[in-house]
Amino acid sequence: MLAADPALRAEFEVRLRDPAFAKDAKARLDFFYRHHPSWDERVNLVPVFRVVASPLPGFEIQ
């Protein structure tokens, strides 16, 4: 990814100046996860719906 995208390489090198980021392997890996084309911002997002009426006859929602 770094070889293919000079802007990404520059951003990564700037981030490496932060000692905490440079020491944290998980943070560095997360950086690449979030910049990969297959990254989905909706990962681990759970849809929540509000039910106004019960779909079951005789069952009341409280």
Side-chain angles (χ1 to χ4, degrees):
M1 288 174 63
L2 294 177
D5 188 352
L8 181 65
R9 176 184 290 278
E11 183 181 348
F12 184 67
E13 288 173 355
V14 168
R15 294 287 309 272
L16 282 176
R17 293 179 193 155
D18 176 13
F21 180 79
K23 289 180 187 177
D24 189 352
K26 186 176 179 186
R28 293 190 315 268
L29 186 58
D30 189 58
F31 174 87
F32 288 105
Y33 279 150
R34 292 177 182 273
H35 287 82
H36 193 270
S38 67
W39 173 254
D40 186 0
E41 287 292 329
R42 299 170 297 164
V43 70
N44 295 327
L45 183 67
V46 178
V48 177
F49 300 95
R50 181 180 180 136
V51 178
V52 178
S54 172
L56 304 174
F59 184 78
E60 292 185 28
I61 297 176
Q62 301 193 10

